[in-house]
Amino acid sequence: MFLPAWGLMALALLLVPPAHTAAPATDAAADVVLLDIQGGIGPASHDYVRRGLARAAADGAPAVILRIDTPGGLDAATRDINRAILASDVPVIAWVGPAGARAASAGTYIVYASHLAAMAPATSLGAATPIALGGASGRDPEPDAGDERGRDDGAMSRKAVNDAVAYLRSLAELRGRNVDFAEAAVRDAATLTATRALEQGVVDILATDIDDLLRQADGREVQLGDRRQALSTASRTVVPLAPDWRNRVLSVITEPTIAYLLLLVGLYGLLFEGYSPGAIVPGVVGGICLLLALYALQVLPVNYAGVALIVLGVALMVGEIASPSFGVLGIGGLVALVAGSVVLFDTEDPGFGVPGRLIAGIAVASGLVFMVALWLAARSRTRPVVTGVDELLGERAIALDDFHGRGHVAIRGETWQADSATPVRRGQRLRVLVVDGLVLRVAPDAVAAEESTLPEGDKP
């Protein structure tokens, strides 16, 4: 029951419908496809754009419009999107819009890679400096003399910046756009408004809306592979292409906060199942959540030391409950959980990190659950045993015959051999002092009455 449930879920998430292989149509009335890139750019954005471009090519669309409003995103996902644009058989028009939108950081790279670039009034682009691992900016740090770590961080930062400069300059040269701004956007995080971007040759069109964009783009020639192609966009119908169910699921589970919560639910579920075999539900839910978390983490910029710390933290807290160590394991587990949560995502790109307040909330909740569980475990150790033969200690029994030494008593509906150092009369109430194998050592109960009613069948 457990394996098929999460196996089918993982299979459903990873299934990719076959790509269209039909040749592009040449219908003069074909529609322009509109794709929206909003929010942080990640794996879901790449999947959406790639599938949208394939769909547009199969339908013979005259052009694809990328409507961009993003604060930036992951470098790997951005490069994947640009590779899809560069390989596209359909002209791609990037439009930063509507008014108030921006194409910051990763969005700038996509604008430069597109065949035609446009912006709406009151929009901006730029600030394309890569954020290095650990949050270092593109500028060199100022280490103290002999600070080898500072020099290493500076070298890594320069490598990342130089690589980004070369990449954006190559896109600018390919599309015939402003190369100087491309370098300034990376090295100095320079930005431009829509009007200045048009004046400096960073974009080709300033369009107030989609209809205005289609009108101005009509007849312009773009380089499509090894050939020049004139755009035919006037009076075309624009058809928005919404993300399908697969992309929506991918978008949800690859959101860093959701991936983080799935990881915690998965770990707690499996550990609870391990300590309560047969519960089934925690194991099934935990297995599914853990698989989804692992799928999300393998496409996100994850620091696996953070994952290891989270796993260690949960294990230590559970270990504290199982074998109390006066809080040492529990406190260590809580510290490991918080530290792992902080360093889990190896990037500071906008939209790709776990909020600090969520980490604090998880830490407080885990700490409270840990303390309550520890209190319950400690309290249970002070209670009398209620299972096994040891629970008979202190219980009352009734003598079934007269004896001094070895005899028989009735206790909880069972007949036991008993041994008494004092004479016992049949029907007398006794108290169990010791359980010696299958023999109970008893003594008269001084508190109870001397005589009591024997069980049915044992009355004289």
Side-chain angles (χ1 to χ4, degrees), residues 156-194:
M156 291 179 62
S157 177
R158 287 193 299 272
K159 288 173 63 176
V161 169
N162 290 337
D163 177 67
V165 167
Y167 181 54
L168 196 54
R169 284 181 65 94
S170 68
L171 294 176
E173 291 171 357
L174 176 67
R175 301 304 185 199
R177 301 201 178 107
N178 191 317
V179 175
D180 294 334
F181 174 75
E183 181 164 353
V186 176
R187 294 197 183 280
D188 303 318
T191 59
L192 286 177
T193 62

Side-chain angles (χ1 to χ4, degrees), residues 53-292:
L53 292 177
R55 172 69 179 275
D59 292 345
V64 172
I65 297 176
L66 296 182
R67 182 163 53 189
I68 301 173
D69 183 9
T70 177
L74 302 179
D75 176 72
T78 303
R79 290 179 183 251
D80 287 340
I81 290 174
N82 286 347
R83 276 192 289 268
I85 293 174
L86 296 174
S88 174
D89 293 327
V90 180
V92 177
I93 305 173
W95 181 58
V96 184
R102 57 175 170 165
S105 190
T108 302
Y109 293 82
I110 296 175
V111 170
Y112 265 89
S114 300
H115 300 94
L116 194 67
M119 297 178 70
T123 58
S124 63
L125 85 169
T129 304
I131 300 176
L133 302 184
S137 68
R139 296 187 177 277
D140 294 342
E142 297 179 0
D144 295 332
D147 189 345
E148 295 295 338
R149 182 178 177 183
R151 284 196 288 269
D152 290 344
D153 289 344
M156 291 179 62
S157 177
R158 287 193 299 272
K159 288 173 63 176
V161 169
N162 290 337
D163 177 67
V165 167
Y167 181 54
L168 196 54
R169 284 181 65 94
S170 68
L171 294 176
E173 291 171 357
L174 176 67
R175 301 304 185 199
R177 301 201 178 107
N178 191 317
V179 175
D180 294 334
F181 174 75
E183 181 164 353
V186 176
R187 294 197 183 280
D188 303 318
T191 59
L192 286 177
T193 62
T195 304
R196 296 294 302 275
L198 181 64
E199 293 174 352
Q200 297 187 23
V202 175
V203 297
D204 309 299
I205 296 173
L206 185 64
T208 56
D209 54 31
I210 296 293
D211 291 335
D212 186 27
L213 175 63
L214 294 179
R215 180 182 58 78
Q216 295 190 55
D218 187 58
R220 288 178 179 258
E221 286 192 351
V222 296
Q223 187 71 33
L224 200 62
D226 56 356
R227 71 181 191 276
R228 300 286 295 179
Q229 178 174 317
L231 297 177
S232 176
T233 56
S235 303
R236 296 277 187 169
T237 301
V238 176
V239 178
L241 184 60
D244 58 14
W245 68 269
R246 180 184 182 280
N247 187 263
R248 288 194 292 270
V249 171
L250 182 63
S251 178
V252 170
I253 66 174
T254 56
E255 203 281 320
T257 300
I258 300 299
Y260 170 67
L261 293 176
L262 286 173
L263 177 63
L264 291 182
V265 172
L267 290 174
Y268 279 120
L270 292 183
L271 288 171
F272 185 81
E273 178 71 24
Y275 279 95
S276 304
I280 299 178
V281 173
V284 172
V285 174
I288 292 174
C289 290
L290 188 59
L291 282 175
L292 293 177

Side-chain angles (χ1 to χ4, degrees), residues 43 74 76 133-134 253-260 263 292-311 340-349 352-354:
L74 302 179
L133 302 184
I253 66 174
T254 56
E255 203 281 320
T257 300
I258 300 299
Y260 170 67
L263 177 63
L292 293 177
L294 292 177
Y295 174 75
L297 295 178
Q298 62 103 11
V299 297
L300 289 171
V302 172
N303 183 341
Y304 285 97
V307 177
L309 282 170
I310 291 174
V311 174
S341 302
V342 171
V343 303
L344 179 61
F345 292 103
D346 218 354
T347 181
E348 291 188 0
D349 285 327
F352 289 90
V354 180

Side-chain angles (χ1 to χ4, degrees), residues 48 113 189 275 285 295 326 435-436:
Y48 169 58
Y275 279 95
V285 174
Y295 174 75
F326 305 100
V435 179
D436 184 9

Side-chain angles (χ1 to χ4, degrees), residues 390-397 411-412 430-433 442:
D390 288 341
E391 68 171 319
L392 298 178
L393 293 175
E395 289 292 314
R396 289 178 177 175
I411 182 170
R412 293 191 175 183
L430 309 170
R431 182 78 67 176
V432 178
L433 302 179
V442 297

